[in-house]
Amino acid sequence: MKGKFKYLFTTLVALFIIFIILIFAGSNFYTDWAWFNQLGYLKAFLLMFFTNFGLRILIGLIFAVFVYINLTFTKKLFDKYFDNKDIEQDNVESLFKEQSQGFLNWISKKKLNWLYLILSIVLGFMFSSVSSELWKIVLKYFNQTPFGTTDPIFNKDIAFFVFSLPFYSFIKEMAMVLVILTIIVVGIIYFIVSGVSSFSEMKIKLPGRAKSHITVLLTLFLLLKAWDYRISMYELLYSSRGVAFGASYTDVNANLLGLRILFYIAIIVAAGLLLSLFKRNYKILAWGLGIWLVTSLIFGGIYPGFVQRFRVEPNEIARESEYINYNIEMTLKAYGLDNVNKTKFEVKDNLTRKNLDDNKNIINNIKLWDSRPLLSTYSQLQELRQYYDFQNIDDDRYTINGEYRQVMISGRELNQDLLSGQAQTWINKKLKYTHGFGVAMSPVNRINSEGLPEFFIKDIPPNISINLLLENSSIYYGEKTDDYVIVKNDSQEFHYPQGDQNVYVDYEGNGGVEISGIIKKAIFAVKFNNVKIMLNSDINNKSRIMYNRNIKERVRKVAPFLAYDSDPYIVISDGRLFWIQDAYTTTNRYPYSEPIRGVGNYIKNSIKVVIDAYNGTMNYYVIDDNDPLAQTYKKIFPEIFNDGDQMPEDIRKHIRYPKDLFRLQANLYSTYHMTDSLVFYNKEDLWNIPNENYSGNTIKMDPYYITSSLPDKEGLEFLLMMPFTPATKNNMIAWMAARSDGDNYGDLVLYEFPKDTLVYGPSQIESRIDQDSEISQKLTLWSQRGSSVIRGNLLVIPIERSLLYIEPIYLQAESGHLPELKRVIVGYGGSIVMSETLDGALNILFGEGITVDEEVLGENVDPGQKSKVDQLKEALPEDLKGLVTKAYETYQQAVQSLKEGKWQDYGDKLESLEEILQELDSISKEMTE
């Protein structure tokens, strides 16, 4: 009775545990199903789920059935033992007699059948979850798209290496594991049953049936090994043996030869093993295996090492030149660097004031606000409440009052972790404080009298001074939205603060999943481990629960097979807020292409994801129809991916070339611009990413967005730019730009400077700034007065055939976090100047002209408003106007002489300036009298 109760109790506990597991697993499945269904991607979810689940079941069944079938072959030996146990006992004379005899006495036919079945199921289950990536491999294999490019060794389309080879490799690996595992299991069984005749000699007395069984398994293993050799031939294209990545001379002329020989030897030995089954001559088995092992040793290491040592190393460049060229060609293709438009850029340094006035649109878009200190400024000026937060500041461009303007923009998200301690309640975090509100936007070049940015869009509710419409400012989905919320509840949601009061709102969109009914509430309560979802009275049948709201996690959940850029950015379109997330197709299976850790050896920015900040809807647009990986994914998931031409035109205006990709390409191109194998081998023309000084630290320069016109091109463009310097020098050797606008999106251009001409690099300009006594004294003085001097991003701005170097200077009080833009340093030719404004610095260098202050940026500015300089001139008497102009020109000439080290000329200019000032002073006194 006691035993029955114990058995019943154990059964109930086991059933309860299974029930709990099913509840949690079921809640996860349902919430994922509902989430994908709400987005319209249910077919994609079911395909991913059942492909993954089905493949695991299939692998488990194959393993279990194969093992069980092989185990049944061993039962004949047990049958003999069951018929006459005394016969078998005579065979157990080894050290293992007691253990094996005890097992044999315990076993029975019924127990043996159950034991074999359980063992097969356990092994099948263990290996059913060996790879979480298998479903991707299988789906890509059956939906592959040709690349239209072949490898240089086997002349196979790249699709074979990217799609087919991983599939074949996985099948081969699983089959070899299965066969080896089976050999081990049946071998142990034969060993236990047959015993060891003499422990000193260790001669196993295997019956003929057992020998035949193991011989068949070994034959199967050798055939799989032959297939392994065949696959290994293709794997040579990923070899790292040589000077460059990919198959080297030794790989092609020694390893490939060896693998071909081993392939045929493995097949011949396998055939010999099968032959031994009929002739009962197991010497064939021994000789075959011996030949195979010796050949493997020779061609697996000895012969390739000999070739490398005595044929390649004495004349490496001649031997490896062909394979270096393969590496260069394939790497450039894989990273989208094979169509870089190269142009010579001869620096003239002949800019005039007229040139600047003719390019005023470029001057008015020069980026004076570095996003790093600007983030602190935005936080201090525009977060407005402690629970609002700006994640980062992004560059974008808009047509503002008819002008193409580069701006800085950031979404004002609600960070629930910043709520006060007493407000950190479940109701506040899940029902009340559900969304952020609005954006802050400022032009890249404008500052007010206090050194702070002038805002195009600011405050809550949005105060907009430009011709942009923003009707819906709510941000339910963003970079800070990490927790679930429940909207359309009876308590209303906090919308935004207004003075001493708060404005509340009811959500009117279709984001989230309906949570009507007690069953749905119970499921979500289990999912999020909180019973309050079931008990809260404010949650009604129209309520919707929003989860997976973080846009970075959101896009990965829908398309986990893509890689994603680290910086999604917010845009205003059609009066609403959207996020644009760059997505990449990647693989590590592109032959000969140089691999990069964490990326693979192939990457394309073929997909743009647009996320609605209010409803959470996501649209994946394939903008590169020439990417075979993107086309393959489109075949697999047609409901996820849309053609690029379906992207709304207003959204398309804001797509930009991503920094992460450009940074990677620039680093790679610093080596792979050398397309001559000899130059590449010797690294004769290696480039570097230059250094810059930021906030007192020397760091690698980051790519930066500028709005400019490319040399010999018309019209403003939104560009991503990066300069290059030689590996051991600091002068600038070239600069690269990625285009983002219109049909030119994705085009890369490279401008190379003449190698016999000195063009200052960013670090040289930084050094010249440090060496300028006047500038360095001021920077040192400011840093000693309780302020921190932040030297912003040094920009290299090409204008016509000249270069301007511009670095903003910010001051930040040590006790505060509000950086103010106080000075702008401009370098041109041999001159470095610093002024309170960019216009002031340009006036010092080039004389007066059209100033930024004169630009009409909004309808509220009088188009007839004159510059301060013109107003001052009009206020002066006629006899003073000429002297003022002459004094200013003389001062400029003196500064230029000082910069060029012409001390005699500098002294003469100072004397002339003194005479002009004395004359001005005399006239001024006469006017006063």
Side-chain angles (χ1 to χ4, degrees):
M1 187 72 180
K2 198 173 183 179
K4 289 183 178 179
F5 177 78
K6 185 177 180 180
Y7 176 79
L8 179 61
F9 177 78
T10 304
T11 303
L12 289 174
V13 170
L15 289 174
F16 178 75
I17 293 173
I18 293 172
F19 176 75
I20 295 298
I21 293 173
L22 290 175
I23 286 293
F24 279 97
S27 67
N28 286 331
F29 176 81
Y30 172 78
T31 53
D32 283 347
W33 178 89
W35 189 82
F36 276 90
N37 186 47
Q38 188 273 328
L39 290 170
Y41 298 146
L42 182 58
K43 289 183 180 179
F45 167 71
L46 294 176
L47 178 61
M48 287 186 279
F49 179 84
F50 285 111
T51 302
N52 188 25
F53 181 76
L55 286 171
R56 289 172 185 268
I57 296 296
L58 180 62
I59 291 173
L61 282 174
I62 291 173
F63 264 75
V65 170
F66 186 85
V67 171
Y68 185 76
I69 289 173
N70 279 274
L71 288 176
T72 57
F73 281 108
T74 68
K75 291 170 63 177
K76 288 291 183 181
L77 294 179
F78 284 98
D79 290 342
K80 291 180 180 180
Y81 176 79
F82 295 139
D83 294 337
N84 187 357
K85 292 187 177 182
D86 293 335
I87 297 175
E88 293 299 327
Q89 291 178 19
D90 293 338
N91 291 331
V92 188
E93 301 174 357
S94 71
L95 181 65
F96 306 98
K97 180 176 180 179
E98 292 184 8
Q99 291 83 349
S100 59
Q101 187 63 44
F103 171 77
L104 292 170
N105 288 334
W106 171 82
I107 202 70
S108 66
K109 286 186 178 181
K110 186 175 182 180
K111 288 182 180 178
L112 186 64
N113 288 331
W114 279 106
L115 181 64
Y116 280 0
L117 182 61
I118 292 172
L119 179 61
S120 301
I121 292 173
V122 168
L123 291 175
F125 176 78
M126 287 175 57
F127 287 91
S128 66
S129 57
V130 290
S131 176
S132 60
E133 301 293 310
L134 178 58
W135 68 273
K136 302 176 188 177
I137 295 173
V138 171
L139 289 176
K140 286 191 288 186
Y141 173 76
F142 286 105
N143 295 275
Q144 57 184 276
T145 303
F147 275 68
T149 302
T150 58
D151 78 280
I153 303 300
F154 301 101
N155 199 32
K156 285 184 171 292
D157 192 279
I158 303 301
F160 170 80
F161 298 92
V162 174
F163 302 120
S164 300
L165 194 58
F167 180 74
Y168 299 148
S169 296
F170 181 85
I171 294 176
K172 178 263 300 179
E173 289 169 7
M174 287 294 97
M176 291 186 73
V177 168
L178 178 58
V179 172
I180 292 171
L181 178 68
T182 305
I183 291 173
I184 293 172
V185 171
V186 299
I188 292 173
I189 291 173
Y190 285 136
F191 178 80
I192 291 175
V193 176
S194 300
V196 180
S197 62
S198 172
F199 180 68
S200 59
E201 297 179 7
M202 293 299 289
K203 294 180 180 179
I204 303 175
K205 293 183 177 179
L206 289 177
R209 182 182 180 85
K211 291 178 181 177
S212 299
H213 186 188
I214 293 178
T215 300
V216 171
L217 289 174
L218 287 174
T219 301
L220 183 57
F221 171 77
L222 283 172
L223 291 174
L224 289 171
K225 190 61 185 175
W227 191 22
D228 179 51
Y229 289 136
R230 184 64 179 170
I231 289 175
S232 296
M233 297 180 197
Y234 300 118
E235 293 290 341
L236 289 175
L237 300 191
Y238 310 102
S239 170
S240 57
R241 173 196 289 271
V243 177
F245 185 81
S248 63
Y249 179 90
T250 300
D251 292 315
V252 173
N253 294 279
N255 289 88
L256 184 58
L257 173 64
L259 288 170
R260 283 173 175 158
I261 292 173
L262 287 170
F263 169 75
Y264 290 112
I265 287 178
I267 293 177
I268 292 171
V269 173
L273 289 180
L274 286 177
L275 184 63
S276 70
L277 290 175
F278 301 100
K279 292 194 172 185
R280 298 291 178 180
N281 183 359
Y282 293 101
K283 290 183 179 180
I284 297 176
L285 186 151
W287 277 102
L289 291 177
I291 292 172
W292 171 56
L293 291 173
V294 171
T295 309
S296 299
L297 181 64
I298 293 173
F299 288 102
I302 296 175
Y303 180 63
F306 178 86
V307 172
Q308 181 69 24
R309 179 80 178 272
F310 296 102
R311 296 195 65 184
V312 175
E313 291 181 4
N315 196 15
E316 191 170 48
I317 181 58
R319 300 293 186 194
E320 298 287 11
S321 178
E322 176 184 357
Y323 307 101
I324 292 173
N325 284 328
Y326 293 155
N327 170 260
I328 294 171
E329 178 186 355
M330 302 299 274
T331 298
L332 293 175
K333 285 182 179 179
Y335 290 95
L337 294 168
D338 53 327
N339 289 316
V340 176
N341 185 8
K342 300 179 183 179
T343 304
K344 295 297 182 183
F345 190 102
E346 186 175 351
V347 179
K348 299 292 187 181
D349 277 342
N350 58 356
L351 277 182
T352 64
R353 184 76 245 188
K354 183 178 184 305
N355 296 138
L356 294 183
D357 293 343
D358 291 341
N359 290 279
K360 64 180 182 179
N361 289 334
I362 296 178
I363 302 299
N364 288 343
N365 280 292
I366 289 178
K367 184 179 174 182
L368 301 181
W369 285 107
D370 189 317
S371 60
R372 292 164 289 191
L374 186 60
L375 179 59
S376 296
T377 304
Y378 268 40
S379 297
Q380 293 295 313
L381 299 179
Q382 283 298 305
E383 285 181 355
L384 305 177
R385 293 293 189 273
Q386 83 273 11
Y387 40 77
Y388 285 126
D389 200 1
F390 291 106
Q391 172 73 7
N392 51 33
I393 310 292
D394 293 305
D395 292 83
D396 203 352
R397 69 283 197 201
Y398 289 80
T399 300
I400 295 173
N401 300 330
E403 292 189 31
Y404 189 91
R405 298 304 302 267
Q406 185 173 341
V407 300
M408 312 298 286
I409 185 172
S410 185
R412 187 185 292 105
E413 297 193 55
L414 192 145
N415 188 342
Q416 295 178 342
D417 294 334
L418 300 179
L419 290 169
S420 63
Q422 63 186 16
Q424 293 277 349
T425 64
W426 184 85
I427 290 178
N428 278 340
K429 296 177 73 172
K430 307 306 178 187
L431 306 181
K432 287 289 185 184
Y433 292 90
T434 57
H435 59 279
F437 193 83
V439 298
M441 178 193 286
S442 59
V444 294
N445 68 320
R446 291 183 64 81
I447 58 175
N448 61 24
S449 59
E450 297 175 342
L452 300 174
E454 291 187 3
F455 287 97
F456 284 161
I457 302 177
K458 62 181 179 179
D459 300 341
I460 299 175
N463 181 354
I464 305 176
S465 62
I466 53 177
N467 61 330
L468 279 181
L469 180 67
L470 185 55
E471 296 176 332
N472 189 338
S473 299
S474 299
I475 302 176
Y476 283 87
Y477 299 85
E479 297 180 82
K480 293 281 188 179
T481 50
D482 297 323
D483 294 322
Y484 72 92
V485 295
I486 301 173
V487 299
K488 290 191 176 180
N489 57 73
D490 292 337
S491 65
Q492 290 195 308
E493 305 162 51
F494 167 76
H495 198 32
Y496 59 83
Q498 193 170 49
D500 296 333
Q501 304 295 320
N502 291 330
V503 176
Y504 293 89
V505 70
D506 288 318
Y507 181 73
E508 297 179 351
N510 57 6
V513 175
E514 280 192 2
I515 196 171
S516 58
I518 189 64
I519 295 178
K520 289 184 179 180
K521 291 180 181 179
I523 292 173
F524 282 103
V526 172
K527 166 70 175 178
F528 296 108
N529 195 27
N530 200 312
V531 73
K532 293 177 183 177
I533 296 176
M534 293 180 62
L535 302 178
N536 187 275
S537 60
D538 290 326
I539 301 175
N540 57 52
N541 287 334
K542 293 183 180 180
S543 296
R544 305 179 74 89
I545 183 168
M546 296 179 175
Y547 50 103
N548 301 326
R549 295 194 301 142
N550 187 298
I551 58 174
K552 292 182 179 181
E553 299 174 1
R554 197 171 179 81
V555 294
R556 285 171 173 81
K557 192 168 184 68
V558 170
F561 40 83
L562 299 176
Y564 294 92
D565 194 79
S566 62
D567 184 27
Y569 56 100
I570 198 165
V571 301
I572 301 172
S573 177
D574 196 26
R576 300 166 61 87
L577 295 176
F578 296 87
W579 297 92
I580 296 180
Q581 170 74 69
D582 286 283
Y584 306 109
T585 56
T586 62
T587 182
N588 60 357
R589 306 302 300 169
Y590 202 93
Y592 270 106
S593 176
E594 184 71 22
I596 295 177
R597 181 178 297 179
V599 175
N601 63 0
Y602 172 97
I603 184 170
K604 289 289 188 292
N605 176 221
S606 303
I607 298 166
K608 302 284 186 179
V609 190
V610 179
I611 308 108
D612 190 317
Y614 188 68
N615 289 321
T617 54
M618 292 179 285
N619 289 293
Y620 291 71
Y621 296 101
V622 179
I623 62 170
D624 183 0
D625 293 332
N626 297 318
D627 178 14
L629 268 171
Q631 294 305 314
T632 295
Y633 290 134
K634 192 175 177 183
K635 290 178 187 176
I636 300 170
F637 303 107
E639 66 278 7
I640 292 181
F641 296 101
N642 304 299
D643 291 332
D645 56 14
Q646 294 181 20
M647 180 185 291
E649 185 60 32
D650 194 47
I651 292 288
R652 178 175 284 277
K653 292 177 182 177
H654 296 284
I655 64 173
R656 66 184 193 184
Y657 203 85
K659 272 189 180 182
D660 285 357
L661 176 60
F662 189 66
R663 187 185 299 111
L664 181 152
Q665 289 175 315
N667 277 288
L668 201 66
Y669 201 73
S670 63
T671 300
Y672 280 87
H673 70 277
M674 297 179 287
T675 54
D676 181 88
S677 59
L678 179 60
V679 176
F680 185 95
Y681 176 82
N682 293 312
K683 299 296 186 289
E684 296 176 12
D685 191 23
L686 194 64
W687 294 351
N688 269 349
I689 304 300
N691 294 324
E692 65 170 339
N693 186 314
Y694 175 74
S695 192
N697 299 312
T698 299
I699 62 173
K700 284 291 182 185
M701 178 174 277
D702 208 35
Y704 52 90
Y705 292 102
I706 64 170
T707 298
S708 187
S709 296
L710 291 172
D712 304 324
K713 305 288 184 183
E714 294 184 0
L716 286 180
E717 290 188 57
F718 192 63
L719 305 170
L720 184 57
M721 181 173 168
M722 173 66 82
F724 292 104
T725 61
T728 58
K729 304 292 182 181
N730 290 323
N731 59 289
M732 193 155 57
I733 192 70
W735 61 276
M736 177 182 277
R739 307 173 76 178
S740 293
D741 290 345
D743 294 336
N744 297 319
Y745 178 84
D747 291 349
L748 298 177
V749 292
L750 181 80
Y751 293 90
E752 296 183 84
F753 302 116
K755 295 186 178 181
D756 58 353
T757 303
L758 172 64
V759 178
Y760 289 116
S763 59
Q764 290 177 320
I765 295 296
E766 297 280 16
S767 297
R768 295 188 61 206
I769 292 172
D770 293 333
Q771 294 166 5
D772 188 291
S773 57
E774 183 179 350
I775 295 175
S776 60
Q777 284 177 7
K778 288 183 178 180
L779 297 182
T780 302
L781 182 62
W782 288 332
S783 63
Q784 293 174 350
R785 291 184 174 180
S787 296
S788 174
V789 176
I790 302 174
R791 289 166 65 167
N793 201 174
L794 177 65
L795 305 178
V796 181
I797 307 294
I799 298 181
E800 297 189 358
R801 286 288 169 176
S802 300
L803 297 175
L804 287 178
Y805 304 85
I806 296 171
E807 181 173 271
I809 304 296
Y810 311 91
L811 289 185
Q812 177 177 292
E814 292 182 355
S815 58
H817 300 280
L818 185 61
E820 299 175 0
L821 199 160
K822 289 300 184 184
R823 293 292 186 274
V824 179
I825 298 175
V826 178
Y828 170 73
S831 302
I832 299 287
V833 301
M834 183 171 72
S835 180
E836 294 184 1
T837 64
L838 173 62
D839 187 68
L842 294 176
N843 282 342
I844 295 173
L845 288 170
F846 301 102
E848 295 180 19
I850 299 175
T851 66
V852 175
D853 289 334
E854 293 180 68
E855 293 304 312
V856 181
L857 298 174
E859 296 176 357
N860 57 333
V861 180
D862 181 9
Q865 180 180 338
K866 297 178 180 178
S867 71
K868 295 177 181 178
V869 176
D870 288 339
Q871 293 176 27
L872 177 62
K873 284 185 177 181
E874 290 181 0
L876 290 174
E878 290 297 328
D879 52 351
L880 287 181
K881 288 182 181 179
L883 287 174
V884 169
T885 301
K886 187 176 180 181
Y888 184 70
E889 291 175 350
T890 304
Y891 168 74
Q892 282 187 301
Q893 294 168 1
V895 170
Q896 185 65 28
S897 297
L898 178 62
K899 299 298 182 184
E900 296 174 359
K902 300 177 180 179
W903 302 106
Q904 181 62 44
D905 189 53
Y906 174 67
D908 294 342
K909 297 299 181 186
L910 284 183
E911 290 179 2
S912 300
L913 181 59
E914 182 180 12
E915 293 175 0
I916 297 170
L917 292 176
Q918 287 175 349
E919 186 174 355
L920 280 170
D921 183 61
S922 175
I923 295 174
S924 177
K925 288 179 179 178
E926 291 178 2
M927 292 176 61
T928 304
E929 294 174 357

